[in-house]
Amino acid sequence: MPEINLGGWAESAVGWLQSHLSWLFDAVSTVLTGMYDGVHAALGAPAALLMAGILAVVAWWLRGLPAAVLAFAGLAVVDSFGLWDRAMATLSLVLVASLITLLFAVPLGIWAARDRRVSGALRPVLDLMQTMPAFVYLIPGVMFFSIGPIPGLIATIVFSMPPGVRMTELGIRQVDGELVEAARAFGTTPRDTLVRVQLPLALPTIMAGVNQVIMLALSMVVIAGMAGAGGLGESVYAAVTQVDIGGGVESGLAVVVLAMYLDRMTGALGKRVSPLGRRAAAKADAAAGAAVASKVLRYRPGTAVAAVGVVVLALVAGGMRLADGDGRQTAAAGGGVGQGRAVKLGYFPWDEAVASTYLWQNILEERGYKPEVKQLDPGPLYTALAQGQMDVQFDSWLPTTHQQYMDRYRDKLTDLGSWYGPTSLELTVPSYVKGVDSLADLKGKSAMFGGKIVGIESSAGMMGKLNDKVLGEYGLDGEYKVVSSSTSTMLAELDRALKKKEPIVTTLWSPHWAYGKYDLKKLKDPKGAWGQGEQIHAVGKKDFAKDFPKIAEWVKNFKMSEKDLSSLEAEIQNGGKGKEKESARRWLDAHPGLVDKLAPVGA
């Protein structure tokens, strides 16, 4: 059967759309960004506990006093984790995505319920939307809209729309046909039949669909975090890639709190707005009896009372914000060379990338800039640089590991030069593994290592070279399976094997702090399959030197020795997760005069 190059056609289609419909994507991005920024500004403006109080009043209105107390307590816990701002960013993303999804899903569901041909045409499309791996939606999202919340919004809308359409169609189809016929018999127009008969009776099912849309939207936050959407997704993604158990638990619990709040509130809202739901609630209240405690717990304020409570808390929050603004002294626009200019630094979770990025964050802050640091995977990061959404990153391994990105975006990136090298790529085993000293020694010993080589991110050029050349050079194809993971996962697996004294073979490179912490053995490469050592470059966007001439000058002259880089990486490792900036600052303080050497401000 002839080969179908569907992937090539899809790539060509994306390229054509980028060339001919960029104006449309810019317009969509502007609208969605405005919506997201507006909601985020509203949710993030009040102080954390005041906003938690507002959300608790909403819970009291919908579900009663116990729900309000639990909602406030859960949100206060999120604030105690230091994740409030990210939680509000995530909530903004979910609300905007859910609103847009429902604006499309409900009309489509109504149309499908009234026309079986439309229903039949929509069904395979909805199946495709819901079963396609959600990560795939990020690829065109990043290509069309770059990094940030917009690719996450687009992916969330596409992924969460099917249940909204299906539940709306189901709810309307389940309405008793005799009731519809009776309405028509009395001369009710099709529009009034829909609005006055079908939609009110279908409302419980439709609200169940709304609930599912919101839950699916919330489930996308981690995936959106991979595209730089921020919020709790970024926290969860960072914790996963860095094997940060504490950060993962805290950010995961924050997602759970939001999920439970949204689930309970949308469920209660369905009962509140549905005639059938209100009737069931009235029966439950009547059956609860006249006990005072029961009345207090089940009491729910009227809409007007709840609205007054929300408005009062919002006014208090606004007053506090004004008072805080009046009491603050106006800061200078940013002293030093940078004069407060923002510069966006991107990195992926490789140790030398983390070390160099946070080193330069401290240096640039000292020179008066406002550096913003964001973690991304290599693919999205290079795409963001090419599109001008990020300014610079410090960990391009050339001419091998990241050459594919330099070739793809050749005219849209600026190579700012090498600051470290040469490096080396290798496979490594623990020193207690006997009889395996070179790549050739792996032949015929796959059973010892479980038939696998533990690798890093599949997008890394090192992984491509390992699969395409190194294994073949030493006759290891088919004998070993290269398992893609992440750098942190690979290191965690290595640590686990070392503690148990188990054989393991992993990808690794020099320099790396693991060689100082563990007793490891680099496998020799007598055939030179890995090639010559690489240089680590800083790479900026196309106009980086024009937009930031002083930083470009500093970075082009930036050099680090293996001793300095290893000690900086060790300091950051010892400082713990989430303390990278402070650890890099300590290292700088222990090297007086280094900032002036790396970023001179003299004429």
Side-chain angles (χ1 to χ4, degrees), residues 365-500:
E365 280 187 353
E366 193 163 327
R367 289 294 182 255
Y369 291 92
K370 285 186 176 180
E372 303 171 12
V373 173
K374 185 177 287 292
Q375 176 185 323
L376 295 165
D377 265 1
L381 177 52
Y382 277 96
T383 301
L385 286 169
Q387 295 178 346
Q389 300 299 314
M390 298 297 291
D391 293 317
V392 64
Q393 67 100 353
F394 296 93
D395 201 33
S396 286
W397 285 52
L398 300 173
T400 301
T401 304
H402 294 133
Q403 188 62 44
Q404 56 177 317
Y405 300 112
M406 300 301 291
D407 291 340
R408 183 183 303 173
Y409 301 117
R410 183 177 301 279
D411 299 329
K412 299 179 180 180
L413 299 175
T414 300
D415 187 347
L416 298 170
S418 166
W419 59 270
Y420 180 92
T423 65
S424 64
L425 305 177
E426 57 254 355
L427 294 184
T428 188
V429 297
S431 294
Y432 55 73
V433 176
K434 304 301 180 184
V436 179
D437 299 300
S438 74
L439 293 172
D441 294 333
L442 291 173
K443 182 70 174 176
K445 297 179 181 176
S446 61
M448 178 188 298
F449 302 101
K452 66 181 181 180
I453 297 171
V454 181
I456 54 173
E457 293 83 0
S458 59
S459 58
M462 177 185 189
M463 293 288 284
K465 191 159 194 175
L466 175 61
N467 283 297
D468 298 339
K469 184 177 182 181
V470 176
L471 295 183
E473 285 283 343
Y474 289 93
L476 304 177
D477 275 330
E479 184 178 354
Y480 289 87
K481 177 183 179 182
V482 179
V483 180
S484 300
S485 58
S486 67
T487 303
S488 55
T489 303
M490 177 272 291
L491 292 169
E493 186 70 9
L494 177 62
D495 183 75
R496 185 196 65 80
L498 286 163
K499 288 177 179 177
K500 294 185 175 183

Side-chain angles (χ1 to χ4, degrees), residues 271-338:
K271 295 179 180 179
R272 191 86 175 190
V273 300
S274 166
L276 296 177
R278 289 197 298 270
R279 189 179 307 163
K283 289 182 179 179
D285 289 339
V292 175
S294 176
K295 286 185 175 181
V296 170
L297 292 176
R298 297 182 63 84
Y299 172 72
R300 290 177 295 171
T303 303
V305 175
V308 168
V310 169
V311 170
V312 168
L313 289 173
L315 290 174
V316 171
M320 291 179 63
R321 190 172 182 85
L322 287 174
D324 182 57
D326 292 339
R328 286 196 306 260
Q329 294 182 350
T330 303
V337 179

